[in-house]
Amino acid sequence: MPRVLTIQGYIFYFFAADCAERAHMHVKKGGANGKIWIQPEIEVFYLKGFKQKEKRQLLKLAEENIAQLTEYWNAYCNN
């Protein structure tokens, strides 16, 4: 499970077997978890257990760090 980014308590990661899917990140914080697509644009697949404020913060962090998230996905999955 490649861990890509930990920021403000949010952990962005994906599973090696996920490379067959379109680019995305799983995210967790405490007991909450979710999955967001990062290509072709940031889009929520699901977010469970996050409060509305946390969802907004999570998406903001994903957007601010999209280059790093995408770069890591591509480096791992496109080799």
Side-chain angles (χ1 to χ4, degrees), residues 12-14 21-27 33-39 41-47 50 55 58-63 66 69 73:
F12 290 82
Y13 63 98
F14 64 94
E21 297 182 37
R22 83 184 212 208
H24 67 275
M25 289 289 145
H26 294 270
V27 63
N33 66 78
K35 178 176 176 179
I36 57 170
W37 304 113
I38 59 171
Q39 293 295 324
E41 61 188 34
I42 296 174
E43 180 183 352
V44 173
F45 184 70
Y46 70 87
L47 294 174
F50 291 104
K55 290 178 183 180
L58 165 65
L59 292 174
K60 180 181 177 190
L61 291 170
E63 186 156 330
I66 191 66
L69 299 175
W73 174 276

Side-chain angles (χ1 to χ4, degrees), residues 2 14-21 23 71-79:
F14 64 94
F15 298 99
D18 288 351
C19 290
E21 297 182 37
E71 181 179 332
Y72 201 99
W73 174 276
N74 289 335
Y76 190 90
C77 293
N78 294 332
N79 278 333

